[in-house]
Amino acid sequence: MGSFFNILQTAHRNAQKSILKRKYTEPVLYHGGPTFNLKARWYLYYKYEHPTLKDKHGNPLMVRQPNITMSINRYYKTKAERLQQFGVVKEVLSEMLKEGCSPYQERLNLGSKSMEYTSEAALDYAYSLKVAGLSETSIPDYRSRLNRFKKYLGTKNLLKKSILGISKQTVNEYLNEIAKASSARNRNNTRIVLSSLFGELEHNEIIPKNFVEDIKVSDTNSIRYQTYPLEVLEGLFEYMKENDPLLLLFIKFVSYNFLRPIEVCRLKVKDVSLTHKQIYFKAKNKLLKTKIIPDIVIKEIKHLDFSIQNNFLFTPNGVGPWDTKETYRRGYFTDRFKKLKEKYNKHLVEKGETLQLGGEYTIYSFRHTFITLLFRKFRKEYAYTETCDRLMLITGHSTLDALKSYLKDIDAELPEDYSGLLTLDI
């Protein structure tokens, strides 16, 4: 009996030593939680000792490996089937790991195609995938926010370590620092960029889940662009007609075609068809959209030089070439209007008027103003739903819900005088 237990103790000690030397953790099955949720994505996960990365103590870093699904979720729809299939895969994987198979053996021979990424390499890879679908205005914003995040990771000693070392808490703490240093809006915009990048990493199975999308959006004080009173609008248009007719034409594209300023800046001669009275432009959420050009605008542009197709419709001097980024083109006209507004305010003072146009009155405000004007004229003749249907064709909103939300934000519809309802019958 003593000999038997001596052998057992020796075997136990050897087994413990083997566990201590083990370069991996036993595979674990995630099965959708306590309820075995079949709508969730089931997978096997485990960690393996990285051949080069070290922790802060200099020990080999245990890195979580890509989730293993083997398409089982797609083909097996019951709890029993999935448990059986994942059980088989788990058993085979455990045996392979015991026999010394390493998930890095193949990867180390792949060089630049390695599936294991440091935080820096993974984020740069995600950006390289994302940048192809970004607009010219979004690329600098993404690059800037990514670089600042990478700098932050560097201060936390996470940049050169596995991307799996970045947690939801890491990103949350970074976003909170942004909110404290600047604003909730800046924090939310950074969250959007990081969520987009981590989404690419999840899609390419570099990380198991894009946890950034689960981080709450902070409440912000929305920027409110004030609509122009009609009596102010008439005087302002007259002032621009005398002092800056080119800027007035730019604003008429915003006002009468309901374009955003950046969309007007993108317009080239080839995007305008006087024959069909149409313009073709890149919008906010679509590659290309078409709108009619109302006669009120046709009369303003039919005398322009349309001979060179690649000329921009708006430059500092009118139709012509302009070799600069669209964000700078938009910024130019924004600044040009700001300067004109300052002169107009002085003009109002000289006339003895007290009204002053502050920062809430922008070029974008003209779009709000004329959509409101059009909505209220339609409402005199049509029901709310029909009004929205007709207006949607003109404004270019992609969905009816988007238009209704927009109309609510700009207070397009106001109630009639309700004084009669407030009288007290005493």
Side-chain angles (χ1 to χ4, degrees), residues 110-376:
L110 292 177
S112 62
K113 295 182 180 179
S114 171
M115 293 176 63
E116 179 58 38
Y117 292 86
T118 64
S119 297
E120 183 175 32
L123 291 168
D124 286 343
Y125 176 62
Y127 175 75
S128 70
L129 296 176
K130 196 70 185 177
V131 72
L134 296 176
S135 67
E136 184 181 321
T137 54
S138 296
I139 290 174
D141 184 58
Y142 265 71
R143 185 170 57 244
S144 174
R145 294 182 192 278
L146 170 60
N147 287 338
R148 288 196 292 271
F149 182 55
K150 285 164 58 178
K151 185 177 180 180
Y152 173 81
L153 294 177
T155 64
K156 299 296 181 180
N157 198 29
L158 292 171
L159 188 61
K160 300 298 182 181
K161 293 184 178 179
S162 169
I163 183 64
L164 298 175
I166 300 178
S167 65
K168 181 179 179 180
Q169 182 180 357
T170 305
V171 178
N172 222 349
E173 289 174 352
Y174 174 65
L175 294 176
N176 289 339
E177 286 193 12
I178 292 177
K180 291 177 183 177
S182 55
S183 66
R185 180 176 298 279
N186 188 24
R187 179 247 186 219
N188 289 342
N189 289 338
T190 300
R191 175 193 166 279
I192 291 171
V193 170
L194 294 182
S195 180
S196 179
L197 295 175
F198 276 79
E200 289 289 346
L201 295 180
E202 179 187 2
H203 178 72
N204 287 276
E205 298 189 342
I206 294 172
I207 61 173
K209 177 177 172 54
N210 173 18
F211 50 76
V212 182
E213 66 181 354
D214 295 331
I215 296 176
K216 291 180 64 176
V217 177
S218 293
D219 293 332
T220 61
N221 294 321
S222 300
I223 296 175
R224 178 64 182 268
Y225 299 101
Q226 186 67 46
T227 55
Y228 292 93
L230 294 185
E231 62 274 14
V232 173
L233 202 62
E234 185 177 351
L236 182 56
F237 269 39
E238 191 63 34
Y239 184 83
M240 281 192 285
K241 182 178 180 181
E242 296 178 3
N243 294 276
D244 197 340
L246 174 61
L247 180 60
L248 176 59
L249 182 59
F250 183 96
I251 287 173
K252 284 182 177 179
F253 268 82
V254 175
S255 302
Y256 301 151
N257 266 107
F258 305 105
L259 299 179
R260 299 173 179 86
I262 192 74
E263 294 166 352
V264 180
C265 290
R266 291 173 183 152
L267 293 177
K268 292 185 175 182
V269 168
K270 63 182 179 182
D271 300 323
V272 180
S273 172
L274 292 177
T275 304
H276 297 95
K277 297 183 179 180
Q278 292 178 347
I279 51 173
Y280 316 99
F281 63 99
K282 183 179 178 183
K284 182 178 181 181
N285 299 318
K286 293 187 177 181
L287 292 178
L288 193 67
K289 292 190 71 172
T290 303
K291 279 190 175 183
I292 68 163
I293 309 175
D295 286 339
I296 194 173
V297 177
I298 289 289
K299 294 175 182 178
E300 300 273 355
I301 64 173
K302 62 182 181 181
H303 67 282
L304 300 179
D305 180 7
F306 285 87
S307 60
I308 302 177
Q309 293 291 288
N310 277 324
N311 274 350
F312 285 101
L313 209 59
F314 290 97
T315 76
N317 301 306
V319 178
W322 197 1
D323 186 19
T324 188
K325 294 182 179 180
E326 64 183 31
T327 51
Y328 297 146
R329 297 198 296 271
R330 177 182 60 184
Y332 169 81
F333 281 102
T334 298
D335 290 340
R336 187 160 169 165
F337 176 70
K338 184 178 179 181
K339 292 175 183 177
L340 179 132
K341 190 171 59 174
E342 290 172 354
K343 293 179 181 178
Y344 183 64
N345 281 336
K346 292 179 181 178
H347 170 72
L348 292 175
V349 171
E350 292 172 357
K351 290 179 60 178
E353 298 185 18
T354 58
L355 175 70
Q356 293 286 283
L357 300 179
E360 69 276 15
Y361 290 98
T362 66
I363 292 180
Y364 213 107
S365 298
F366 289 102
R367 186 171 185 263
H368 300 334
T369 300
F370 280 88
I371 289 178
T372 300
L373 178 65
L374 202 55
F375 173 84
R376 291 175 181 173

Side-chain angles (χ1 to χ4, degrees), residues 23 48-54 60-63 104 116 162:
K23 296 183 176 182
Y48 200 95
E49 183 180 285
H50 194 278
T52 59
L53 294 177
K54 307 292 182 182
L61 188 68
M62 295 292 285
V63 176
Y104 293 104
E116 179 58 38
S162 169

